[in-house]
Amino acid sequence: AGRALHPDWIPLTKVMPPQVGEDILLRPHLSEQLVRAVKQKRLILISAPAGSGKTITAASLQRAAELPLVWLALDEEDDDLISFMWLLATALRRRFSPSGAKAMSLLSDLPNPAGQFKRVLGVLINELLAADPEPFAFVVDDYHLVKNPAVHQALAHLLDHLPPPWHFVIATRREPPLPLARLRARGQLAVFDLDALRFKKEDVQTLFRERLALSLPPDHVQTLQMRTEGWIAGIRLVANTLQTIEDGEKRRAFVEQVAAADRHVFDLLAEEVLQRQPESLQAFLRETSILRELTPALCEAVTGRADAGGLLDEAVRRNLFLSAVGPFESAVSPVYRYHDLFARFLRHRLAQREDEAHVRELHRRAAVAETTPGRVVRHYLAAEAWDAAGEAVADYGRQMLAEGQSARVAGWLSAFPEDFLRQRPWLNYLKGMCYADGGDFVRAAPLLEQARRQFGEKGVEEGETATMVSLVYASIARHDFARAAELIDKVLARPLSPYERVRAHINRAWLMLYQNRWDVVDSDIAEATEITLTSEDVGAINVMAQQLTAPLVLGRRGIGPVRRYHETILAGLGDEPSVVRAGTVAALSNIKLLQGEIEEAVKMAREARAMSVQFGGLVWMDMAWDQVLLADALIGADYATFEGRWQARLAAYEETAARQWLIVYLYLLARAQWMKGDEEQVRALARRAEATEIALEPPESLIARQMFAALLALQTGEYRKAETLLLDAVRGQERARHVRIFFDARFMLAHLYLAWERPDDALAILQPLLATLSQEGAPGLALQEGPYVLPLLELAAERGIEPAFVQNLLRLFDRKREIRPIPIPGTDESLTPREVEVMSLLMTGATNKEIAEELVITPRTARAHVSNILGKLDVSSRTEAVARAHELSLLGR
């Protein structure tokens, strides 16, 4: 299977607010302040100790405010960035479907979603804005459970970019490490602390009299308010006991006992409440306190009592600090939670009353009955049931790693005794993968090798195969291509799922590409495409969308089979933007450029770019559409547009994994400046390239450095030096023929000979080169060189070399190079060349901002051009302009 997150692993109760019972007092003065703050501030912080009423205060917004409420309750196991982002998306999607779908797609498909959290959150924000919701409050309860700095960093980023409809309410026991000072200075923060949440004397009186039907003398109310300091957990504990005392004198005695208590008031009151319950109910409360959520079935499984459901109902009737979660009426079985303080008190009493063996047995039963992975593992670990815990972690851990949740898996593994871990191959495998996901391949490799040996000794073929695939991954990361290829061959000899087999074949294709083994590249691509199409495996399709890109089409099988594969996949996808669609469209745009279908290539490149922007930028596809749009500008000798696009994308090549190709892109810009005649810019770019260090530099980058030196020599007329450099580059290209996807040193060598007045030598280079391109059906490999090849093509046309192919190349150059004014029939108006370009973009649905970016003009200029076009076509809207252009066949001329 592919990397698909498991929504069933997240209890929906986590995104449901607790029910606010009729016995809960909503205090008007507090509610009004809270509602006003939520409507005005970006962040509302409810920060107070346990038992202060934070959760109920936040949940009461549903009744007190007219704002929709989105809820997220955190557990200890949610202290993980991937889990946190997935929960954010889940909560938003539940309230504002389909918001969150694209973010979930990213979390499933990105290689390292935790490392690209800004992109995921950006997509989440854009999805929400597209849904155009009314203002709403998003409550995050129990945020104090978050200790992971990555989660704090992500939430801080989200708060900085929060769209106007979204207001955060965070309930926490302590002030979180968020940019509170900055938010406070901007007037975007409201804080409700313990003092704001305290029950005043009149609140206590109203609670007792109106909600609990308890009539107390004013001095009793004042005593209890002072002794509990308005702390609602303490007040409710007092109320629970008072409701069981009918005699007035005994009530007075109890109030005086509370007033005179020396030890912690909660322990006193909780003990008083517990002791007043039947022994069977006391035991039930203690034993079920280990559960995060209570249902009749879970309680029966843990306690072993057939009457557990009845005891749970009795605990609810007695108001024993249980709150209902989610909509009762739609629930198959009611779900409850203990108040944290009461649960902690009960667990403490459980440890005092029962021996450790019994407590461990309770956790073991809970683990068997639970279905959520985090809770299953937590209970097994608490039970010190190491074998069962190890099996659970082995079962869930691989999927968790696939989801990017290596931090959670590492946390599980840290709870095991070291001796136990070392003897378990799956746990060694998972620990090695946790290191690998963190980029620590030095510590990952020995653990993976150990796991592989252990699997081999035990004859666990599935484990040995998974570990070998991971070792391939680690070897590629270290650029140990020979070791990776050796392992892949062994992997391919084993039984594999379609996803694993496709991944192995496509990885070997890339490895063999760098070893110039194109026979293996071709066979691996053929096998990978066949498996994907016949199996329709989602994971395999994801892999191919990301990795079956332009360089791999240069084999002897030609471009056609890869194009047909991508077109088949695209035909089966919906129009909804997705990572798979974006990768497929980007790959097709590059293929169509290679085949000379420039307009269609540009159209698809723009679609891929738009989807990439929606998903926050996707490096593996961005390189494809970048090449198409850069080539489109260069073919038309539009150097200003070329430079503008290049500069706009430079940061991506300096700051992402694409940095390995930075020298290549610097060379492409230098070549454009050379064609433009800007010698100083060429020298400046050459100096910049020389000063730029690339770790583990690929061959195409090293060849680009030679091309830089040759370009400088050509510029100064040092033809002999340029020839030596270019001949070296051509030889290097023979060993790394995929370099042609960026540039072809043979064109520059032929240009040198023509400039050196050696036309026969130029033709000797040019003739086999054009024959190859003609045979491959790849005019785009000549077109992307730019206008400097035109004299070469004209020479080839004079000598009758590949006449049909060359004439087509000249036609394509001419079509792009000159955009003529277009007369508007029935008027004396014409669209100017620039207006023709704007009109072409309008017909693709481009916005003014997109037109400005595409043509390297300001949005204001774009708006002016659109306004002029509307006036010339005598229409009042962009839609009418497009319809009029179609009617007049303006751009079909």
Side-chain angles (χ1 to χ4, degrees):
R3 297 180 66 253
L5 289 163
H6 279 256
D8 292 344
W9 288 4
I10 298 174
L12 283 179
T13 49
K14 292 170 69 68
V15 291
M16 294 179 181
Q19 300 294 297
V20 180
E22 293 300 322
D23 60 339
I24 298 298
L25 176 66
L26 299 180
R27 292 170 285 166
H29 61 282
L30 177 61
S31 295
E32 289 171 9
Q33 292 175 32
L34 185 61
V35 170
R36 186 163 54 249
V38 169
K39 290 182 176 180
Q40 296 176 352
K41 307 294 183 180
R42 180 171 296 191
L43 172 62
I44 293 83
L45 193 65
I46 305 177
S47 178
S52 302
K54 299 182 296 297
T55 300
I56 290 300
T57 299
S60 68
L61 276 167
Q62 227 171 198
R63 190 185 301 177
E66 296 177 357
L67 295 176
L69 192 65
V70 180
W71 190 271
L72 172 55
L74 298 178
D75 293 338
E76 291 86 348
E77 55 261 31
D78 299 324
D79 192 19
D80 172 89
L81 181 53
I82 302 299
S83 298
F84 183 74
M85 291 192 293
W86 181 257
L87 285 167
L88 284 176
T90 301
L92 284 173
R93 192 172 187 185
R94 184 173 179 271
R95 186 65 180 78
F96 302 114
S97 183
S99 291
K102 292 175 187 173
M104 289 176 173
S105 175
L106 276 183
L107 289 170
S108 297
D109 296 342
L110 283 177
N112 177 23
Q116 304 178 64
F117 71 88
K118 292 181 181 179
R119 175 183 307 173
V120 176
L121 294 178
V123 169
L124 193 63
I125 289 169
N126 291 339
E127 285 188 275
L128 181 70
L129 289 174
D132 194 24
E134 295 296 320
F136 67 96
F138 192 121
V139 177
V140 181
D141 195 21
D142 288 333
Y143 190 75
H144 53 271
L145 295 173
V146 173
K147 299 178 179 62
N148 189 336
V151 177
H152 296 311
Q153 184 183 2
L155 183 55
H157 177 80
L158 186 54
L159 288 168
D160 281 341
H161 299 85
L162 209 62
W166 192 340
H167 302 267
F168 257 113
V169 179
I170 293 178
T172 176
R173 293 182 187 173
R174 63 187 67 90
E175 188 173 283
L178 296 171
L180 302 180
R182 184 164 73 240
L183 290 167
R184 186 178 283 110
R186 294 173 180 172
Q188 296 170 340
L189 172 68
V191 177
F192 290 80
D193 56 13
L194 175 60
D195 191 56
L197 299 181
R198 290 185 203 278
F199 267 54
K200 309 297 187 288
K201 178 183 174 182
E202 55 273 20
D203 296 327
V204 177
Q205 183 70 61
T206 303
L207 174 67
F208 281 152
R209 185 177 62 247
E210 297 183 8
R211 292 292 184 272
L212 304 177
L214 280 170
S215 181
L216 295 181
D219 61 324
H220 285 193
V221 172
Q222 184 167 357
T223 298
L224 292 175
Q225 194 276 338
M226 291 177 60
R227 185 66 185 92
T228 60
E229 297 181 332
W231 181 49
I232 186 56
I235 294 169
R236 289 307 303 257
L237 281 166
V238 168
N240 272 50
T241 300
L242 287 174
Q243 285 178 311
T244 67
I245 304 174
E246 296 182 2
D247 183 81
E249 284 304 314
K250 289 182 179 179
R251 281 186 179 177
R252 176 178 293 279
F254 176 71
V255 171
E256 290 173 353
Q257 179 189 4
V258 171
D262 292 328
R263 59 196 179 96
H264 193 284
V265 68
F266 185 88
D267 289 343
L268 166 71
L269 296 174
E271 186 67 40
E272 183 73 33
V273 168
L274 189 63
Q275 290 304 319
R276 288 180 178 272
Q277 312 308 321
E279 178 54 39
S280 60
L281 186 55
Q282 289 188 44
F284 172 85
L285 293 170
R286 289 192 298 267
E287 292 185 340
T288 56
S289 67
I290 66 170
L291 295 170
R292 175 65 179 173
E293 293 179 348
L294 292 80
T295 66
L298 271 176
C299 291
E300 182 176 338
V302 170
T303 64
R305 298 181 62 115
D307 62 346
L311 288 169
L312 179 59
D313 289 341
E314 182 65 20
V316 173
R317 282 195 298 272
R318 290 172 178 254
N319 294 321
L320 295 178
F321 293 88
L322 284 157
S323 59
V325 181
F328 238 168
E329 61 278 3
S330 64
V332 175
S333 175
V335 180
Y336 298 97
R337 285 185 189 144
Y338 282 122
H339 188 288
D340 276 356
L341 275 178
F342 195 56
R344 188 183 305 169
F345 165 79
L346 291 172
R347 287 194 294 270
H348 181 64
R349 289 294 180 268
L350 176 67
Q352 287 181 326
R353 289 285 299 269
E354 306 291 347
D355 59 38
E356 292 182 3
H358 181 65
V359 176
R360 287 198 296 268
E361 174 60 18
L362 294 174
H363 278 290
R364 190 197 64 76
R365 293 175 190 171
V368 173
E370 283 279 13
T371 57
T372 305
R375 295 177 185 176
V376 171
V377 173
R378 180 171 64 85
H379 284 301
Y380 273 135
L381 291 173
E384 297 183 4
W386 305 123
D387 287 328
E391 289 178 13
V393 172
D395 286 343
Y396 299 134
R398 282 173 284 170
Q399 183 63 40
M400 292 292 193
L401 287 178
E403 296 168 5
Q405 299 193 61
S406 56
R408 180 182 291 195
V409 177
W412 290 344
L413 294 170
S414 68
F416 287 94
E418 277 298 321
D419 289 344
F420 179 87
L421 275 180
R422 280 193 290 269
Q423 298 167 19
R424 299 308 192 273
W426 276 120
L427 302 187
N428 283 321
Y429 163 79
L430 292 173
K431 192 169 183 178
M433 284 304 297
C434 287
Y435 283 131
D437 283 354
D440 190 346
F441 296 102
V442 174
R443 283 198 282 186
L447 286 163
L448 293 172
E449 293 287 4
Q450 181 179 348
R452 184 189 174 192
R453 285 193 302 272
Q454 290 172 324
F455 282 129
E457 291 166 1
K458 296 182 178 184
V460 183
E461 189 168 318
E462 179 193 7
E464 190 174 9
T465 300
T467 309
M468 289 168 69
V469 172
S470 300
L471 281 167
V472 169
Y473 167 61
S475 299
I476 291 173
R478 297 195 305 270
H479 282 209
D480 186 355
F481 294 140
R483 173 66 169 150
E486 172 197 349
L487 288 167
I488 281 182
D489 288 339
K490 292 177 180 177
V491 167
L492 285 168
R494 293 169 167 267
L496 300 171
S497 69
Y499 166 70
E500 290 171 326
R501 189 163 292 279
V502 165
R503 191 175 182 187
H505 278 297
I506 206 71
N507 280 333
R508 188 169 68 175
W510 279 102
L511 290 169
M512 293 299 102
L513 176 145
Y514 278 99
Q515 295 181 20
N516 215 25
R517 292 281 308 281
W518 286 89
D519 55 335
V520 184
V521 172
D522 284 346
S523 64
D524 275 328
I525 293 172
E527 186 69 18
T529 53
E530 177 67 19
I531 295 168
T532 305
L533 291 173
T534 55
S535 71
E536 297 183 348
D537 183 282
V538 174
I541 292 171
N542 288 349
V543 170
M544 297 290 271
Q546 297 177 24
Q547 296 194 41
L548 186 55
T549 52
L552 293 179
V553 308
L554 298 180
R556 293 179 180 84
R557 293 175 71 240
I559 300 171
V562 178
R563 174 171 176 162
R564 285 191 293 275
Y565 165 79
H566 281 305
E567 287 177 336
T568 301
I569 294 298
L570 189 61
L573 297 174
D575 294 333
E576 185 68 21
S578 67
V579 174
V580 172
R581 180 178 176 83
T584 304
V585 171
L588 274 173
S589 73
N590 211 299
I591 287 170
K592 291 192 175 189
L593 169 68
L594 297 182
Q595 295 186 314
E597 300 172 34
I598 302 173
E599 285 80 7
E600 189 64 21
V602 169
K603 180 181 176 182
M604 296 192 87
R606 288 171 181 155
E607 182 186 350
R609 180 177 66 180
M611 283 189 281
S612 179
V613 169
Q614 283 186 316
F615 288 116
L618 301 164
V619 172
W620 67 85
M621 75 173 65
D622 288 350
M623 291 182 68
W625 62 255
D626 261 349
Q627 276 189 264
V628 172
L629 297 181
L630 287 172
D632 177 54
L634 200 58
I635 294 165
D638 188 351
Y639 302 116
T641 297
F642 183 97
E643 184 174 0
R645 286 176 178 160
W646 190 94
Q647 291 290 352
R649 294 286 301 137
L650 175 59
Y653 290 94
E654 288 182 321
E655 299 168 7
T656 69
R659 193 174 190 279
Q660 284 192 312
W661 291 276
L662 178 58
I663 303 301
V664 173
Y665 280 85
L666 285 168
Y667 167 70
L668 294 181
L669 178 60
R671 191 183 63 184
Q673 299 290 6
W674 167 72
M675 284 184 270
K676 181 184 172 184
D678 194 334
E679 297 183 3
E680 182 50 45
Q681 275 298 309
V682 175
R683 286 192 290 271
L685 287 164
R687 289 192 296 270
R688 180 174 178 176
E690 187 177 2
T692 300
E693 294 183 4
I694 306 292
L696 302 170
E697 200 159 2
E700 52 267 40
S701 183
L702 297 172
I703 295 171
R705 291 188 186 276
Q706 291 177 308
M707 298 299 291
F708 252 119
L711 205 59
L712 291 172
L714 265 170
Q715 196 165 264
T716 56
E718 299 173 83
Y719 292 161
R720 184 71 64 189
K721 179 180 179 181
E723 180 186 33
T724 300
L725 290 164
L726 287 170
L727 286 171
D728 281 346
V730 169
R731 284 190 288 271
Q733 186 176 303
E734 288 170 358
R735 295 187 298 273
R737 56 182 298 212
H738 65 280
V739 171
R740 296 192 303 146
I741 206 69
F742 298 106
F743 56 82
D744 195 320
R746 292 173 293 180
F747 276 115
M748 191 61 75
L749 181 60
H751 168 82
L752 164 67
Y753 286 140
L754 194 59
W756 205 350
E757 298 183 358
R758 294 166 57 181
D760 290 340
D761 289 332
L763 286 170
I765 297 293
L766 198 59
Q767 187 165 2
L769 173 54
L770 292 174
T772 299
L773 296 184
S774 178
Q775 183 180 3
E776 293 175 328
L781 291 173
L783 292 170
Q784 68 181 14
E785 293 290 319
Y788 86 88
V789 302
L790 281 169
L792 294 170
L793 297 177
E794 289 163 356
L795 175 63
E798 289 174 11
R799 302 293 180 91
I801 296 172
E802 300 292 335
F805 182 72
V806 169
Q807 286 302 320
N808 183 49
L809 279 173
L810 289 169
R811 180 187 63 80
L812 289 169
F813 266 117
D814 182 63
R815 184 171 181 178
K816 281 301 299 177
R817 190 170 55 222
E818 186 177 352
I819 300 176
R820 298 180 177 87
I822 296 180
I824 300 173
T827 74
D828 57 358
E829 297 279 8
S830 294
L831 295 181
T832 67
R834 180 59 95 183
E835 287 168 353
V836 171
E837 292 180 301
V838 172
M839 189 69 240
S840 298
L841 292 171
L842 280 177
M843 295 177 79
T844 69
T847 64
N848 286 342
K849 182 181 178 183
E850 290 167 342
I851 291 170
E853 290 174 352
E854 181 66 27
L855 300 179
V856 197
I857 56 179
T858 66
R860 177 179 293 181
T861 303
R863 284 195 298 273
H865 284 309
V866 171
S867 179
N868 289 340
I869 290 170
L870 298 184
K872 290 180 179 182
L873 293 178
D874 193 24
V875 295
S876 58
S877 71
R878 299 156 67 96
T879 303
E880 290 176 1
V882 171
R884 184 72 173 147
H886 281 303
E887 178 188 333
L888 299 174
S889 300
L890 285 181
L891 302 190
R893 292 172 172 268

